[in-house]
Structure formats: C-alpha cells, structure tokens
Amino acid sequence: MGDITARRAMRADARRNRDRLLSEARAAFLEHGTDASLEEIAARAEVGVGTLYRHFPTREALLETVLRERFDALAAAARRLVDSRSAREALIAWTGDFVETTTVYRGLTAALTATLRDRTSALHASCEAMREAGTTLLIRAQEAGDVRADVTPMEFLALVAGVSWAREQMAGGELRGDRLLPLLFEGLERLG
Amino acid sequence: MGDITARRAMRADARRNRDRLLSEARAAFLEHGTDASLEEIAARAEVGVGTLYRHFPTREALLETVLRERFDALAAAARRLVDSRSAREALIAWTGDFVETTTVYRGLTAALTATLRDRTSALHASCEAMREAGTTLLIRAQEAGDVRADVTPMEFLALVAGVSWAREQMAGGELRGDRLLPLLFEGLERLG
DNA sequence: CCGGTAACCGGAGGCAGTCTCCGATTGAGT
DNA sequence: ACTCAATCGGAGACTGCCTCCGGTTACCGG
C-alpha cells in the first residue's frame, strides 16, 4: 500500500517516470534532507508535479519507498544477529547499523519517530518490524547480564534515537560522532 | 540586540503592540511548537504582519525574547549551584532544569542546537552563556570523580540534548519521560 | 488646544512550497 | 489503424514567509 503495485503491469512510460522520480528523490534527500522540495524532485525528473503526486500521494509515501529496503535490511540484520556472536556484541553491532541508517538523510531520525507514533503511516509496519527485531536483541543482552535489566525496549530505542539525532545535529562541529554511542552503551552495561 | 530597546522610550501604541505580540507568541508556541505561524500570531494580536516583523525581524528574534528569561535563569542557576551541595547533585539538578526548559515548546531542542551552531543568531549569546555554565558544573563533577573523566562538555551536552529531544518526541506514548535522564546519568558515573 | 513631523501601522504583493483537478496525450491491446 | 483507459502535466487554489511603502497617529513645541 502507499505506492502503486497494481496487479496489472504498469504502462512503460509510467514505470519509467516512477523509476526516474525515485532516483531523483534519493539524490534530493541526500542533498537537502527529508524535506527537500517535491517540486524540485519532479522538475529534476523532468515530470510534472501531478505525476509525482499520482505515484506518491504524500511525501511520506515517497520516503517510504526510498527507505523500505534499508529498514527491512535492518530488521533482517537483527534477526540474523540473534544467534551469532555474544548477545552484547550483537546488540552493539545492530545499534551501530541503526544509527548509520538513520543518518543517511538529514531529518530522518525525526521522520522515523514520527512514523513510530502514527499508526496510519505507510512506513509504520516497516518501523515496527525493525523495532521488534531490535527488542529481541536487547532482551537477549539483558538475559545474558550484559545490559541492565530495568531498561525497557522503548527507553532503549528512545536513547538510541536521541543519540542518532544529536549526531545529525552536531555534525560538522567539534564533536566526534562515533563517541556518543559507546558512551551510552558502556553506561547501560550492568554495573559491576 | 535583536529586538528594540532603543534609547528613546517607545511610543505608547508601539509598546502596546509589542507586548500583545509577545503574549500571543507565547500562547502560539505552546500550542503549535516553535514553528507556529507568524501570520497567525500577528492576527491573534490584532496587528498586521508588518508590525510583527518590525518588532521582531525574524522568527528567531521573537523566540529569543520569549526565551531569554528562561535561558538566563538557567545560566544563573548553574552559577548558583557551583558552590552548593555535592558536585554530582548539582549537575543532576541543573541537567534536570535544562531538560525541563527545553521541553516547554515542541521543537525547542532543535532550535537550541541550531542556535548553538549559528554564531550570528540572536539567541547565540544566551545559549553560549548557558552552555559554559553547564560546562563548569560538569568539570567539577568530573574532578570529584562522580562522572567519567573522558566525556567532553560537547559530548555531554549532545547526550543531554538527545535525551531532551527523545522525550519531546515520545511524549504521550508508552514512555515515562523522567526515566531517560537518570539512565544516562547513572551510565556516566565513574565505573567502580 | 493645535499643528507638524517622526515614528509607527497595516496589508498588498512577491516568493516558495504543497496538493488537486481535469483537459490533453499516449501506450497497448484488437 | 483505431480506440480508450491509463497516464501526463501544469494551471491554480491555498498557506506561510518576508518586504515595502502609502497612510495614520502619538507626541512635542508653540
């Protein structure tokens, strides 16, 4: 749902335009963050705005299609990590991936938390799946005694998202982005 | 600087309009967050947009006037806390105030970090003063051995801002807002 | 009390962005 | 080749930001 995956194959021109739009959208999101101008995307794809809005009724629908792959990959990574390495390392690795993913486009972290809150959103399902996958990893780490047991999955996600947001805010400043996550993590480790 | 504090007293109507604008701005920011419509604020103050923009040339100038008191109070609180209680408790108390303050208006945390980055902003001075006050508190806590010594002030601020942001995002959901800060804090305590 | 003038007001209008609507166009079956 | 449903494209309605300047008014000196 959201975009067009009709039973009938799309007409050739429609398919062409859709692909072109997605490609330009990726570029625009990279350059201007998640609130890049949709008109500009349409223009760069050499297509009218009407065409853009028919393929992707809302900005979110467009974002969804651009991001779904990554999010699903993240969920898959979590599932794969469940039975490899130590629980602690698995959680660390996955969290790193999470931050990496939510940092590709400026403003993405905000879009993600908004999606998590809005049950009607097109991206909601993907986010939810990802969240649950991460939750499993957290609980395993807690059972292994690597992370303090009184942290709820929601709290954990909030903290990690906060770090991700902070990193994207302070980018370019006098702050090494890769320091925040370890700091948080070492703090959540079970105290001696 | 930023708003009008001319040497000559303002004309009565000007003063009246300015006060009215500030009052409505506070209400609007509360209701719609920091990107409330300026036109609506002007309308609610029964004044033309031109009048609003003359008194406050940019949205930021308006925000500044609305927030300066609070920010200065925060900086003052930090200075007062420097020589009372334990260093640890002082830092905790101040950080709590910080989060409290940046949570009054939705979007304020983002506005604050943006201001911290933009040296030309009207709010910059206030933010900077506040940041330095907080820094003093952090260093004292580190010297007392209450907080791990390898955390830079910038990192500390980033983490706290991240928590503040997360709290404002997840508001209303299944997350107790007052849990995040303690979690972060206990984590930053010197490991035994 | 009464100008005169500097200070102030207000909203029209330019700009940019989002989104809708519908006449024109075109791909794809027959 | 012909048809028509699918698709296109952009005009236009709307909202918000910000500027500009002709009209208004508070205040001061007379």
Side-chain angles (χ1 to χ4, degrees):
Chain A
M1 359 161 168
D3 65 325
I4 295 170
T5 47
R7 50 188 62 181
R8 293 280 272 201
M10 297 172 66
R11 243 168 63 173
D13 53 349
R15 160 115 255 134
R16 216 179 11 248
N17 284 335
R18 187 174 183 282
D19 290 348
R20 187 105 185 257
L21 279 168
L22 278 175
S23 158
E24 296 300 338
R26 267 185 274 269
F29 286 148
L30 261 183
E31 194 168 346
H32 303 293
T34 53
D35 40 36
S37 160
L38 296 187
E39 293 211 319
E40 194 193 311
I41 292 176
R44 276 168 43 163
E46 292 178 311
V47 142
V49 270
T51 302
L52 189 158
Y53 279 99
R54 195 170 336 95
H55 283 293
F56 308 100
T58 72
R59 151 174 271 112
E60 211 178 35
L62 180 55
L63 242 185
E64 186 215 356
T65 310
V66 168
L67 293 175
R68 164 156 287 170
E69 280 178 10
R70 290 179 190 267
F71 278 19
D72 288 353
L74 210 48
R79 280 188 289 272
R80 208 174 322 113
L81 283 166
V82 162
D83 29 43
S84 71
R85 307 195 221 186
S86 76
R88 180 172 175 280
E89 278 176 40
L91 185 60
I92 289 180
W94 184 77
T95 313
D97 282 358
F98 177 91
V99 172
E100 210 63 45
T101 299
T102 58
T103 307
V104 272
Y105 304 130
R106 209 165 352 108
L108 186 50
T109 316
L112 188 141
T113 61
T115 297
L116 228 35
R117 223 175 321 129
D118 172 18
R119 207 173 304 278
T120 72
S121 151
L123 253 179
H124 187 77
S126 267
C127 286
E128 200 58 37
M130 193 192 64
R131 200 189 66 131
E132 275 172 30
T135 295
T136 308
L137 249 37
L138 172 66
I139 291 178
R140 260 178 51 91
Q142 287 176 320
E143 283 171 351
D146 291 327
V147 172
R148 44 188 289 182
D150 61 341
V151 184
T152 71
M154 204 60 192
E155 286 162 0
F156 180 72
L157 190 69
L159 287 169
V160 174
V163 163
S164 181
W165 178 85
R167 195 174 144 158
E168 124 188 340
Q169 289 293 306
M170 313 289 189
E174 359 65 284
L175 178 70
R176 280 186 50 198
D178 57 348
R179 279 276 296 160
L180 262 31
L181 213 45
L183 239 32
L184 173 66
F185 247 98
E186 289 165 24
L188 292 179
E189 276 169 13
R190 185 187 203 77
L191 303 175
Chain B
M1 10 171 151
D3 65 326
I4 296 171
T5 47
R7 48 188 63 181
R8 292 281 271 200
M10 298 173 65
R11 244 169 63 171
D13 53 347
R15 161 115 256 135
R16 216 178 13 246
N17 284 335
R18 188 174 184 283
D19 291 347
R20 187 105 185 256
L21 279 167
L22 278 175
S23 158
E24 295 300 337
R26 268 185 273 269
F29 287 149
L30 262 182
E31 194 167 346
H32 303 294
T34 53
D35 41 36
S37 160
L38 297 187
E39 295 215 317
E40 193 193 312
I41 292 176
R44 275 167 45 161
E46 292 178 310
V47 142
V49 271
T51 301
L52 188 157
Y53 279 99
R54 194 168 338 94
H55 284 292
F56 309 99
T58 70
R59 149 175 272 113
E60 213 176 36
L62 180 54
L63 242 185
E64 184 215 357
T65 311
V66 168
L67 293 176
R68 163 155 287 171
E69 281 179 9
R70 290 178 192 267
F71 278 20
D72 288 354
L74 209 48
R79 280 187 290 271
R80 207 176 322 114
L81 282 167
V82 162
D83 28 42
S84 72
R85 305 197 223 186
S86 75
R88 180 173 175 279
E89 278 176 38
L91 186 59
I92 290 180
W94 184 78
T95 314
D97 282 359
F98 177 92
V99 172
E100 210 63 45
T101 300
T102 58
T103 308
V104 272
Y105 305 129
R106 211 167 349 110
L108 185 50
T109 314
L112 188 141
T113 61
T115 297
L116 229 34
R117 225 173 321 129
D118 172 19
R119 208 172 302 278
T120 73
S121 152
L123 253 179
H124 187 77
S126 268
C127 286
E128 199 58 36
M130 194 192 64
R131 199 190 65 131
E132 275 171 30
T135 296
T136 309
L137 250 37
L138 172 65
I139 291 177
R140 260 178 50 90
Q142 286 176 321
E143 283 170 353
D146 291 328
V147 171
R148 46 188 287 184
D150 61 341
V151 183
T152 71
M154 205 60 193
E155 285 162 2
F156 180 72
L157 190 70
L159 287 168
V160 173
V163 163
S164 181
W165 178 84
R167 197 175 143 156
E168 123 188 339
Q169 289 293 306
M170 314 288 190
E174 351 83 270
L175 177 71
R176 280 185 48 198
D178 58 347
R179 278 277 295 160
L180 262 31
L181 213 45
L183 240 32
L184 173 65
F185 247 98
E186 289 165 24
L188 292 179
E189 277 169 14
R190 185 187 204 73
L191 303 175

